[in-house]
Amino acid sequence: MSSADLLPYEIKISKTEQKVPVVEGVHLHSIYNPDREAEGFVAKHLDSIKDNSKVLILGLGFGYHVNHIVQKLKQLYGTAFEVCVIEPNRQVYNDCLSLNNLNLSENISVHCFDHVDSFYRELGIVNFLKEKPVVLMHPASYNLYQNFFREFLTYKAPRDIRHILDSISNPEVKSYLNSYSSALTLDHVLDQLKNETPIIDNPVEFALLAFNEIGSLSTCEESHE
Amino acid sequence: MSDILLINFKRLGDIYSSAHLIQSIVTKDPSTKVSILVFKEFELAARSIKNVANVYTVNRKEIETLKKNRIYSNGFALNSFFDDINDIANLKWDQVINYSNDRLSTYLTSLLTIGSKPEYAGIRFTKRQTVEYSSIWSIIFNDVLTSYKYTPVNFNDAYHHLIGAQFQISEDSIKTNAKYNESAFKNFTQLREAEARSGNQIKLVGIQLKTSRASKDIPMETLTVLVNKILDCPELYPILLVAPSQEEKAIANKINEHFDNSLVSVEADLKALPSVLINLDLVITPDTLTKHMADLVDTPVIEVSLGEAPLFKQATVNPQSIVLSVDPALREFSVKKTDSDLIWKNQNKMIEAADILSAVFYLLNENTALNLGQRVCAYQPVRDGLGYRLKLIAGESDPQWELARQLGRCYMMKSLTGLKTDEIFSDLVELPRQQIRKWLDGEKAKVSEASKNLLGAIRSLLQAGENSAKGGDFVRSLDKLLLSSETDSLVSLPSLWFRANIESLNSTTLEENIKEVEGLLYKLKGEYQKVFDLLKDFENFANKERILRATQNPTPSEVAPA
C-alpha cells in the first residue's frame, strides 16, 4: 500500500451529477462540470498531442480528462494511438474502474502500483516509454501526489545485480549473474568478464561480451583506406 | 545441404554489397541455405537480397535505448538482446561467416562456433579472448586492409577468397517489385518515345544527388553544370534520383530551379529503387548504396569517389563502370571530415562536370577518348586472378601510388595463388621510367632493411633458446622487425601477416611459443624473398618491354635498361 492510499478519501457528486473523488479535501475534478474542465485540459495540450500519438497521463482521477484526450486522439489518429495512465492511489483507481467511468479499449492502459520502481519494472510501461510519449499531467492529481510524480519523473533504475535479476527473463543469464555479488553492477560484471577473466568457457559469457559491444560499435567507415 | 549464417552488422551499402558473396555461395552449391544476421533497421534491405533463406535481426536501437537510458533496468536490455539472438544460438550451423568483422560479430561468431562443429570464416575470439583467424585471408581482411595504405584487394575479393568462392558478378541478386518494374519501364519508355519523336534516341542518365555525408557529395555547383551539359547533348537525358526524404527533395528542387522546374526527378525508396535503376542506361553516383544496388542489377555506373569514400576497398565492381577520383595521393581516406576542413571541399571541386561527361561518353561509346582535368583519374574494374582490380585507364595518378597498389596486388597473387602477374606488369610499364626506377630502388632498400632485421631476430631467438638471459635482446630485435609492418612498402604486407600471427599466438608454454615464433620467422623469410623476387621480375619485365618497344620504334634513349 502506498502513502497515497492512506489519505482521507470520499466521493462527491458534481452539479452535472458526475462522481468526483476527493482526496484529503482536494477535488480531483471540477465539482461543477468535470467534462467541461476536461475539454479545457484537451485544449491546453492540443499542440502536444497533434505531434505525438503516444500519450502518458500522470493521474487518473475518475478519468474524465482521459476520456476527452482519447476522443481527441481518435479524431486525429483513428485507432493508431496509445494512452498510458499512471495512478498511485489504489482506492481512486479501483473506484474509477468499478464505476465504468473510463472508456477502456486496447489503446488505453491504466497502471497502479504502490511504489515508483514497480511501474518501471512493468514491461508494458517500459515498452510504452521507449516510444517517447508526450507526458501530460493531470493538475489536481499532480498537485496532490507531487512527491510521487516527481520521483516517477526523475526515476533512475538501480544498477546493482540484485535489482536487475528481477527483470531478467532468460534463466541462464539469470543464473549466471546470480553467481556474482549482488552489490555489483552489470557494468562491473561485464568489465570483469572482458578484462579480468582468463578463460571464457560459458556460452553465456560470450553472449554477454557481445551484448557489451552494442552501443560501442564503430561504423563501417572504420574500414577506410 | 549446408546451413550458413552470415553476420553483417554494417550499413545499407554493405548489406547490398554482401549480395555478391551470397550469390557466389549459392552458385557454388545451390543446395546451400544462407541466412543473414543484421541490425533491425536494415532488415528491409536484407530481405530484398535473393537466395537468402532467413533474415535474423538484432534491434540495436532498442537495446541501446534500454542500456543507456537510466530509467530502464539493465535487465530489459539483456532480455531484448538475448531474445534477438535466441534463434540463431539454438540453430545448428555448418558455417558462420563473420562478414562485418567488428567486436560484436566476432563475439557472436565465437558463441556459435567455439566448442562445437561449425566452421567459421573470418575472425573469432578464443576462450582467452585473443583473436583467431580462419585463414590468411581473414588476416588480410582484419589486419592488412585496415593498415596498409595502398589497398591491394577490395572487400569483395577478400570475402570470396575467405570462403573459397569464385566471384562472378550476378545481375539477378536483388528482388524487384513487379508493380514498380512495370511503372518504371512504362514511364521511362514514354520518355524515350517522346524524345524519339523529336528525333533523339536518348540514353537515360540517372544522377544520385546525395550521400550520407556531405564530404562525399558531388558539389551542388558541379551537379548543376553537369545537368546543363547533359541537357545540351541530344542523345542524353538526365533523371535526378532522390530518396523519399525532405532533404533530398529540397536538393532536387534547388537544382530544378535552374532549369525552370523542367527536370524529371524520381523519388524512390529501397523497394522501388532497383526497378528505377534497371531501366536507366547509366547512373552517375557518389559512394552510396545506389552504386552497390546498380552493380547488383548490372546497370553501369560512373562512380564519383570523393571525401573518405573507400575508393579501392569498395568501389563499383562492374567492368562496364568507371570510377572517377582525384589522384589518390592527394586524398585522405580517414573519416570524420569536418565542415571547417577546406581541403576536402576544394578537392571535391577538382572533379568537374566536364570530367564526368567525358566518362559518360566513354562508357556509352568506347571509341571516345577520356579527357580529364588535372590530377583527375579514371579507373575501371577489370577481372584478374584475385577478383576485380581497379585499372587506371586515364588521368594523372601519382606513379608511386600506382606501383605500390598494383604490385601489392601482384605480391598477393604470387604468394597466395601462384598466378601470373604479367597483365598488371603491362599496365605499370606505361609509367614514367624514372618513377619506376625510384620506386624499385626504394622498395629494394626496404626489403634489405627488413631482411637484415629478420636475420637479427632469428639470431636473437636462437641465442635466447640457449640462454634465457638473452630474452630481452630477442624482444628488442622483434620490435625492430615489426616496424617493417608500418612502412607502407611492399614488405609491410608479409610483415603485417607476421605481426597478426605473433599477436594471436595460442601456445600455452614458453617452449611452444618459441617454436611457433621460429616457424613464423622462417616463413616470413620466405615471404621477403617472394617480395624481392617480385621486384626483380617486374624490373626485368619493364626492361624487356622497353627494349622490345625500342626495337620496334628505336630512339637512342629507349635502348638503355631501367
Side-chain angles (χ1 to χ4, degrees), chain B residues 254-275:
Chain B
K254 202 165 171 202
I255 293 176
N256 225 338
E257 277 167 16
H258 293 276
F259 302 98
D260 295 325
N261 294 315
S262 63
L263 298 176
V264 172
S265 97
V266 174
E267 183 186 317
D269 61 14
L270 292 181
K271 264 178 135 174
L273 187 57
S275 305

Side-chain angles (χ1 to χ4, degrees), chain B residues 17-29 95 97 137 154-170 173 317 382-388 409 417 419:
Chain B
S17 191
S18 71
H20 294 295
L21 185 66
I22 292 167
Q23 303 322 312
S24 300
I25 293 171
V26 172
T27 301
K28 190 180 171 188
D29 180 359
Q95 187 183 46
I97 300 173
W137 279 99
N154 64 53
F155 281 0
N156 252 312
D157 291 346
Y159 283 127
H160 279 76
H161 285 286
L162 193 61
I163 62 157
Q166 180 85 355
F167 182 18
Q168 283 286 1
I169 292 174
S170 162
S173 308
V317 292
V382 297
R383 192 156 175 78
D384 66 18
L386 275 188
Y388 286 89
R409 189 176 182 88
T417 66
L419 289 169

Side-chain angles (χ1 to χ4, degrees), chain B residues 290-517:
Chain B
T290 302
K291 164 188 84 178
H292 294 294
M293 206 186 267
D295 276 357
L296 293 173
V297 299
D298 200 28
T299 295
V301 152
I302 292 169
E303 181 184 342
V304 185
S305 181
L306 300 166
E308 66 271 25
L311 170 58
F312 296 114
K313 286 181 181 157
Q314 289 187 281
T316 171
V317 292
N318 187 339
Q320 297 172 82
S321 297
I322 281 179
V323 187
L324 294 176
S325 168
V326 162
D327 181 355
L330 297 175
R331 290 180 66 179
E332 218 186 73
F333 297 99
S334 54
V335 292
K336 293 196 174 55
K337 293 182 171 14
T338 61
D339 274 345
S340 56
D341 182 347
L342 287 177
I343 295 175
W344 67 259
K345 286 185 177 178
N346 289 333
Q347 263 187 21
N348 287 4
K349 290 178 191 169
M350 286 172 68
I351 300 179
E352 295 182 351
D355 299 317
I356 301 172
L357 194 67
S358 181
V360 169
F361 281 116
Y362 178 84
L363 270 193
L364 295 177
N365 179 356
E366 276 183 28
N367 293 327
T368 311
L370 252 178
N371 294 314
L372 302 174
Q374 226 182 8
R375 305 301 291 270
V376 177
C377 313
Y379 299 88
Q380 198 160 33
V382 297
R383 192 156 175 78
D384 66 18
L386 275 188
Y388 286 89
R389 73 172 189 278
L390 284 183
K391 177 179 171 173
L392 179 69
I393 57 171
E396 300 174 26
S397 168
D398 180 352
Q400 305 291 303
W401 240 95
E402 256 322 274
L403 287 160
R405 180 174 76 86
Q406 297 282 41
L407 283 165
R409 189 176 182 88
C410 288
Y411 163 69
M412 290 181 63
M413 281 173 80
K414 193 180 167 77
S415 183
L416 298 171
T417 66
L419 289 169
K420 281 184 168 294
T421 54
D422 287 3
E423 207 181 296
I424 300 179
F425 284 177
S426 299
D427 292 343
L428 293 172
V429 293
E430 305 292 334
L431 295 170
R433 190 170 72 181
Q434 276 177 336
Q435 293 286 340
I436 295 177
R437 177 79 269 144
K438 180 182 165 190
W439 187 82
L440 280 171
D441 288 345
E443 288 298 309
K444 282 179 187 173
K446 284 175 186 152
V447 175
S448 295
E449 173 82 17
S451 298
K452 202 173 77 180
N453 292 334
L454 171 61
L455 291 172
I458 291 174
R459 202 167 32 245
S460 298
L461 181 64
L462 294 172
Q463 285 169 355
E466 289 161 10
N467 179 1
S468 58
K470 298 270 185 180
D473 288 342
F474 168 66
V475 169
R476 276 184 289 277
S477 61
L478 186 63
D479 278 344
K480 205 170 169 188
L481 173 62
L482 287 172
L483 288 175
S484 311
S485 64
E486 295 168 19
T487 58
D488 279 329
S489 60
L490 269 194
V491 83
S492 312
L493 290 169
S495 303
L496 283 165
W497 300 351
F498 172 75
R499 188 181 76 183
N501 280 311
I502 289 287
E503 286 173 355
S504 64
L505 282 176
N506 274 320
S507 316
T508 45
T509 66
L510 180 63
E511 288 75 26
E512 279 175 12
N513 260 330
I514 290 174
K515 205 170 170 191
E516 249 193 277
V517 172

